[in-house]
Amino acid sequence: MPTALITGVTGQDGSYLADFLLEQGYRVIGMVRRTSTINFDRIKHIQDRIEIVQGDLLDQMSLISILQQHRPQEVYNLAAQSFVPTSFEQPVLTGEFTALGVTRILDAIRIVDPTIRFYQASSSEMFGKVHEVPQRETTPFHPRSPYGVAKVYGHWITINYRESYNIYACSGILFNHESPRRGLEFVTHKITNAVARIKLGLESELRLGNLEARRDWGYAPDYVHAMWLMLQQDQPDDYVVATGETHSVREFVEEAFSYVDLDWQEFVIQDPRFYRPAEVDLLVGDPAQAGAKLGWEPSVSFKELVRIMVEADLKDWERRIKQDAVLNA
């Protein structure tokens, strides 16, 4: 039974990756930070099948200890401060987790067991002010947020350890990928959650920032499969993981409201508070290398993704309404 360590196991990607690895017969070690309120909602359905360990990307000795004790063959580094607006408000903290945290775990691997295969979660936000369309593995980086800058550091330090210490280290340059497990602070889930609440009469408006920003949106379970495929190859490499299609926030809004037969223009208000200090206007990836070398391709279309998320939020809020009715009966 192979053993995999997932940092950030309680996040969207970490939870889907844990699901996938369990299906493949892995022993899964999930690393979480010790806080007063750890949210296990995304992994509660598998919590009895994975081993939860406490560690911190700010504390290298905790990482060394985890590797020594559990001896994983694969490490997936998905932990980060990953919300772009927060990175403008907390740039130093973002750098500590999202940039230097990668160095700490790579160095722990170098010290404990250099044969461990390592996956680094890179991001399309590294491209930022894009130099070419679509973006591919060779496209120059021009990040437009502290988060994007930190991810560029994490990406290049992964390459550096691969070339300097012969560690099997890969970076997946993942474009936006969504699901019902996406955090509510992210625009896609903010939209679908509001659509469900508006449809059920619980809310009357949705405030958003730039509706013209364009993104390449895929389905998170597809993308964690690509992570695993990267660590199964003979040689390590870096891969863009994307759908190859771009859609605006406005299109996402239109699709979500139309699914519940509502006119989005009656409910959506553009609010300057939600604009970024430096906007990333257009992201669309070229997944040709992932298709050719990994045999990977997305399985869920843009419209299907929106439908999945709206349906999940509708069911969730209908369940809550019924629970409240029983409690108040």
Side-chain angles (χ1 to χ4, degrees):
M1 179 184 292
T3 298
L5 169 67
I6 304 172
T7 73
V9 71
T10 59
Q12 170 189 253
D13 291 5
S15 64
Y16 281 121
L17 180 60
D19 287 339
F20 177 82
L21 292 177
L22 287 172
E23 291 172 4
Q24 306 306 310
Y26 278 68
R27 171 185 173 225
V28 176
I29 313 297
M31 191 184 91
V32 299
R33 293 182 68 217
R34 176 69 182 94
T35 65
S36 57
T37 55
I38 301 174
N39 186 348
F40 289 112
D41 283 353
R42 294 184 182 96
I43 58 169
K44 60 187 178 183
H45 63 293
I46 54 170
Q47 201 168 335
D48 61 341
R49 299 174 59 199
I50 65 177
E51 299 173 50
I52 300 296
V53 298
Q54 291 184 0
D56 197 320
L57 290 181
L58 304 187
D59 180 5
Q60 187 164 357
M61 286 309 300
S62 70
L63 303 174
I64 290 172
S65 177
I66 289 170
L67 295 180
Q68 288 176 332
Q69 183 176 351
H70 297 281
R71 294 291 174 177
Q73 289 83 47
E74 298 175 1
V75 171
Y76 297 84
N77 183 40
L78 310 184
Q81 191 304 99
S82 60
F83 189 46
V84 173
T86 297
S87 77
F88 284 101
E89 298 172 3
Q90 297 181 306
V92 175
L93 182 69
T94 299
E96 286 286 353
F97 279 111
T98 308
L100 292 178
V102 186
T103 310
R104 294 187 186 101
I105 195 163
L106 279 166
D107 216 43
I109 289 171
R110 180 186 64 83
I111 292 166
V112 176
D113 181 3
T115 68
I116 290 172
R117 295 193 168 200
F118 176 76
Y119 171 83
Q120 165 60 14
S122 288
S123 168
S124 60
E125 288 285 335
M126 301 188 304
F127 296 120
K129 190 175 182 180
V130 299
H131 289 231
E132 64 178 350
V133 178
Q135 295 87 55
R136 49 184 62 88
E137 291 80 6
T138 55
T139 301
F141 299 135
H142 189 149
R144 298 268 282 171
S145 66
Y147 169 76
V149 171
K151 280 294 185 182
V152 170
Y153 177 99
H155 183 83
W156 278 110
I157 201 67
T158 300
I159 293 172
N160 184 261
Y161 269 70
R162 180 168 74 211
E163 295 177 351
S164 300
Y165 304 112
N166 200 33
I167 290 173
Y168 190 109
C170 298
S171 285
I173 307 173
L174 271 57
F175 281 64
N176 293 61
H177 46 287
E178 317 299 321
S179 75
R181 298 184 193 176
R182 188 58 137 156
L184 278 171
E185 69 272 24
F186 291 88
V187 68
T188 50
H189 201 183
K190 179 180 179 179
I191 292 167
T192 60
N193 183 67
V195 165
R197 288 176 55 81
I198 290 169
K199 180 65 176 178
L200 296 171
L202 302 173
E203 204 163 309
S204 60
E205 66 178 35
L206 168 59
R207 291 181 175 269
L208 296 170
N210 182 11
L211 297 182
E212 307 314 319
R214 302 184 68 84
R215 296 291 184 270
D216 184 326
W217 277 301
Y219 187 44
D222 286 344
Y223 286 47
V224 301
H225 183 207
M227 298 176 189
W228 177 76
L229 286 171
M230 290 179 209
L231 297 195
Q232 313 312 311
Q233 307 307 305
D234 292 335
Q235 298 296 327
D237 204 349
D238 306 319
Y239 297 88
V240 163
V241 181
T243 68
E245 296 181 6
T246 185
H247 298 274
S248 67
V249 175
R250 185 186 301 273
E251 288 177 74
F252 199 104
V253 168
E254 290 175 347
E255 192 64 38
F257 275 94
S258 67
Y259 184 73
V260 294
D261 298 317
L262 294 176
D263 181 356
W264 70 274
Q265 295 181 79
E266 295 180 12
F267 305 99
V268 174
I269 299 171
Q270 283 193 271
D271 190 330
R273 292 179 301 165
F274 298 112
Y275 280 77
R276 296 183 184 181
E279 184 59 78
V280 174
D281 296 313
L282 171 63
L283 292 175
V284 55
D286 178 3
Q289 178 164 290
K293 293 187 176 181
L294 305 179
W296 179 88
E297 60 182 21
S299 69
V300 174
S301 71
F302 174 73
K303 286 191 174 186
E304 288 171 327
L305 171 64
V306 178
R307 175 186 58 77
I308 288 168
M309 293 181 68
V310 172
E311 284 184 351
D313 283 324
L314 279 170
K315 288 178 181 177
D316 182 46
W317 282 108
E318 287 169 350
R319 177 184 55 80
R320 295 191 202 189
I321 291 170
K322 288 178 182 177
Q323 285 181 341
D324 289 345
V326 170
L327 289 174
N328 296 324

